[in-house]
Amino acid sequence: MNYVKINFLGGIISPGDLLEILELLDHLYIRYVSFGLRQQLIIPVEEEFIPALKAGLERKGIPYEVNSEVYPNIVSSYPAEDIFIQGTWLSEGVYRDILDGIDFSPQLKINISDSNQSFTPLLTGNINWVASVNEAHFWHLFIRFPKTNVVYPWTELVHTQDVASFSKSLESLLLSDLPAFYDQENASGVELMSRMNLKPYILRRAQESAKLPDFNLPYYEGLNRYNNRYWLGIYRREEKFAVAFLQEACQLCLATKVGQMGSTPWKSLIIKGIEEADKGAWNLLLEKHQINMRHAANELNFQVEDHSPEGLALKQFLVKHLNEEDTRSFGLSIGIKTRKKSEVFGGIVVRRRPVLWGLFHVYDILCANDFNPNQRTGSLYGSGLPKFILGEQLRRAILSFYKFRSSKMKVSTVPEIVQEETKLSLCQCPACLTIYNPAYGDESQQVPAGTLFEDLPADYVCEMCEAPKLTFVSIS
C-alpha cells in the first residue's frame, strides 16, 4: 500500500482545511486515514488513485509527499495546552507566532515543547525547543545531530520571536557539507554554534539547565471537562479514522465555532473548546459512528512506528497478554520498534530484529534511563527473546519500572539497577547513552555474554545508534 503524507504544522488542524482534503478522498473512494507520530495526516492509497489525489491536492495548493519523509512535520505540545498543560506562559498565541514564522519547509525534525508536560516527546527532533520554566518567551535549545544521535544542549536561551528564523539558519548549517556536524566521531555543538551568526537574535544566558520532566502519560481519550468547556480525545485501536466520521466531525466543528483540532504523537485526535450546549451533539456523533471511548490505559500507552502493520500486530499481542495478567502500566510508555532506523517514544522499547537471513525474528527489551522516554537508552533488559516468552518478559520489565519508582521515593536507597552496574566494568555510548554490559554481551551483533569491551572487534558499533566502538567511554 502506498501512502500520501500531509503535514499540519505543530499538529494544529483547521477543520475547514481538513474537510477539503476529506471530500477529495471521499470522491476517490478512500475510506480511512491515520495520524502519524509526528502529528501528520497519513493517507493510505492504492496505486491507481495516486495521480488523481496528487492532482486534487495540487489544485488546492496543499503540500504533500508520496511514500517519503523528506520534509518531516514540526511537532509541538500545542494539543496538550490548557488541558494537560496549565499555568505556564506558553499559550496558543505563542505557538501560533512561532509556527506562522516558519517560512521554509524543514528537512530536519523540529520539536517545540513546553517543559511542563510529558505528552509530547521533547528530544526526538534534530532541533528541539523546550520552553524555559522561569523566563517567559525564552527557549532552551537541544541539538540532536543528523546521523549521530549526539545531543548538544546550547547554553543560551533564544527569544520566541527568533525561534523560527534561528531554526532556519541552524538547519542550513546542519545540512551543509561540514564534516564536523555529520561525523559520529567529531560532532561538535561548540563548533556548530561558533559558525552561527548570532547578532540578529535576542539571546540570554541560561541561569540553569532545562529540567526534563518525569514522564506521566495522561489518559487522553473521552469527553472531558476543563475550565468551563470540554475537550474530546479520540483514539482508534487500528489507528484508522473513518473519512465519513472525520467529515462530520469537521462539519460539527465549523457549525459550533470550534476553530481547530489537534493531532497528537499518540496517533489520536484532540478537539478543544467544546461548549456545554454542544456536548450532546458530539455524543450523538460518537454514537452514530460507534466510536469507543473506553480503552484501557494498557493500550493507550503504546507507541508504534508509522506504516507498520507488523508493529501494530505486535502491540495487540502484547496488550492482550498484559490484560490477561491484569498488569498495571500507568505512568509508563512502551514503544514498538520493527525497523532499524525508526524512532519511537518509550520508557521501555520492544525491538524486533531478524535472524537467519530474516526467516525468523527475536525481540529485545530496552529501558530508557529512569524509564523516562525523554532520556536515551540506559539498559538492555532482555535480548534475543522468542515471541512466546516476550509478553511475560515485558510484564516483568514493567514490574521493574514500579520497583524503580518505589526505590526512588526512598532517599537513602539506591535503585538496584544502579547498584548492579557500578560493580561491573561498563562502557557507554556518548551519542545515545546506551551501555555495553559485558555480562549480557550483544546478541544483535553475535557478541556472547562475558565478552569484555576491550575484546570487542574494532568494527563494533553501538547496537542502538551505530556509533563506533572508539567513541565509547568507560563509566566504571
Side-chain angles (χ1 to χ4, degrees):
M1 178 68 74
N2 300 282
Y3 70 92
V4 171
K5 185 207 72 172
I6 297 174
N7 288 338
F8 292 114
L9 291 187
I12 302 173
I13 304 171
S14 159
D17 292 345
L18 180 57
L19 185 58
E20 276 195 282
I21 297 169
L22 295 169
E23 288 173 346
L24 175 59
L25 301 184
D26 190 36
H27 290 146
L28 295 174
Y29 304 101
I30 297 171
R31 299 300 178 224
Y32 294 94
V33 296
S34 301
F35 296 98
L37 291 173
R38 292 196 66 80
Q39 299 170 282
Q40 71 274 50
L41 183 69
I42 298 174
I43 306 166
V45 56
E46 299 288 349
E47 184 81 34
E48 60 190 291
F49 294 117
I50 290 179
L53 179 55
K54 290 169 63 176
L57 293 172
E58 287 166 7
R59 281 197 304 272
K60 297 176 183 295
I62 299 171
Y64 65 89
E65 289 186 82
V66 180
N67 297 330
S68 66
E69 190 73 16
V70 177
Y71 302 102
N73 195 29
I74 297 176
V75 164
S76 86
S77 55
Y78 167 77
E81 186 268 330
D82 221 21
I83 53 176
F84 303 138
I85 306 172
Q86 297 177 345
T88 73
W89 59 265
L90 187 51
S91 64
E92 175 187 338
V94 176
Y95 289 108
R96 284 288 187 186
D97 288 344
I98 294 173
L99 295 172
D100 288 346
I102 301 288
D103 61 356
F104 67 110
S105 296
Q107 296 180 59
L108 298 181
K109 296 175 181 177
I110 299 176
N111 290 13
I112 302 169
S113 301
D114 194 299
S115 61
N116 188 31
Q117 57 90 41
S118 57
F119 189 63
T120 305
L122 297 181
L123 304 182
T124 60
N126 300 114
I127 299 172
N128 303 281
W129 297 102
V130 179
S132 172
V133 174
N134 299 316
E135 301 186 68
H137 287 290
F138 279 91
W139 297 78
H140 295 275
L141 171 61
F142 294 85
I143 302 165
R144 184 165 65 89
F145 288 87
K147 303 182 182 180
T148 69
N149 258 352
V150 174
V151 177
Y152 172 71
W154 196 41
T155 55
E156 300 282 329
L157 301 176
V158 180
H159 194 272
T160 291
Q161 72 178 43
D162 292 326
V163 166
S165 58
F166 200 101
S167 298
K168 184 176 183 177
S169 298
L170 190 55
E171 177 179 277
S172 179
L173 271 179
L174 285 166
L175 292 178
S176 61
D177 188 20
L178 298 174
F181 307 153
Y182 278 93
D183 191 325
Q184 290 181 328
E185 300 176 35
N186 302 313
S188 168
V190 175
E191 170 71 13
L192 170 66
M193 297 312 296
S194 71
R195 302 197 184 201
M196 278 284 293
N197 177 15
L198 302 177
K199 292 180 180 179
Y201 306 114
I202 301 173
L203 308 175
R204 181 176 295 178
R205 172 70 61 173
Q207 298 302 310
E208 57 183 4
S209 301
K211 294 182 175 63
L212 301 180
D214 290 335
F215 181 81
N216 190 14
L217 180 67
Y219 193 84
Y220 55 86
E221 76 168 345
L223 192 59
N224 307 277
R225 189 175 184 85
Y226 75 108
N227 300 330
N228 296 318
R229 294 179 293 179
Y230 290 84
W231 65 270
L232 174 64
I234 306 171
Y235 160 84
R236 304 302 289 151
R237 177 169 290 162
E238 300 291 335
E239 300 179 355
K240 294 180 179 178
F241 285 76
V243 168
F245 164 70
L246 290 177
Q247 283 180 293
E248 293 192 43
C250 289
Q251 290 163 353
L252 186 52
C253 281
L254 295 172
T256 58
K257 296 182 172 56
V258 172
Q260 55 201 17
M261 306 159 126
S263 170
T264 82
W266 301 91
K267 303 187 179 183
S268 67
L269 192 66
I270 284 181
I271 302 168
K272 299 187 289 189
I274 298 172
E275 300 291 345
E276 176 82 40
D278 301 320
K279 188 172 71 164
W282 282 100
N283 275 319
L284 287 174
L285 179 62
L286 297 173
E287 290 170 7
K288 176 181 176 181
H289 290 274
Q290 288 293 291
I291 304 296
N292 179 25
M293 293 277 102
R294 293 290 181 270
H295 293 97
N298 272 345
E299 191 166 356
L300 294 175
N301 59 7
F302 274 80
Q303 267 212 349
V304 180
E305 302 148 315
D306 294 333
H307 326 297
S308 178
E310 300 89 354
L312 194 57
L314 180 57
K315 168 190 170 178
Q316 292 165 345
F317 170 80
L318 293 172
V319 167
K320 181 180 179 182
H321 182 85
L322 295 180
N323 287 339
E324 287 173 349
E325 295 296 323
D326 203 19
T327 303
R328 172 186 172 91
S329 60
F330 176 79
L332 182 65
S333 70
I334 303 169
I336 301 291
K337 184 179 175 71
T338 64
R339 297 190 293 266
K340 193 170 184 180
K341 291 297 184 181
S342 65
E343 189 167 278
V344 291
F345 184 55
I348 292 177
V349 173
V350 178
R351 179 178 63 191
R352 187 186 78 159
R353 53 186 172 84
V355 293
L356 296 178
W357 304 281
L359 296 175
F360 302 97
H361 291 91
V362 294
Y363 302 86
D364 304 325
I365 298 176
L366 304 106
C367 302
N369 287 320
D370 296 349
F371 294 91
N372 187 338
N374 286 320
Q375 304 281 358
R376 308 310 296 177
T377 301
S379 62
L380 184 65
Y381 185 84
S383 178
L385 306 171
K387 189 175 181 180
F388 72 89
I389 66 169
L390 181 61
E392 177 57 22
Q393 290 301 307
L394 176 60
R395 188 185 72 84
R396 294 183 184 186
I398 292 172
L399 294 179
S400 72
F401 160 68
Y402 287 111
K403 183 177 181 181
F404 167 78
R405 292 240 292 204
S406 175
S407 67
K408 191 178 178 183
M409 300 297 292
K410 303 172 185 177
V411 177
S412 62
T413 302
V414 178
E416 182 178 341
I417 188 170
V418 175
Q419 291 177 336
E420 292 176 353
E421 288 183 353
T422 55
K423 297 175 183 177
L424 300 172
S425 177
L426 307 177
C427 290
Q428 187 173 48
C429 171
C432 68
L433 305 187
T434 295
I435 295 171
Y436 175 78
N437 189 332
Y440 299 123
D442 184 351
E443 192 166 336
S444 69
Q445 299 180 74
Q446 291 78 50
V447 176
T451 304
L452 298 178
F453 183 81
E454 52 267 31
D455 295 332
L456 293 173
D459 60 353
Y460 176 82
V461 296
C462 172
E463 63 172 325
M464 196 66 181
C465 72
E466 299 186 332
K469 174 187 175 182
L470 59 85
T471 65
F472 277 61
V473 295
S474 174
I475 59 173
S476 67

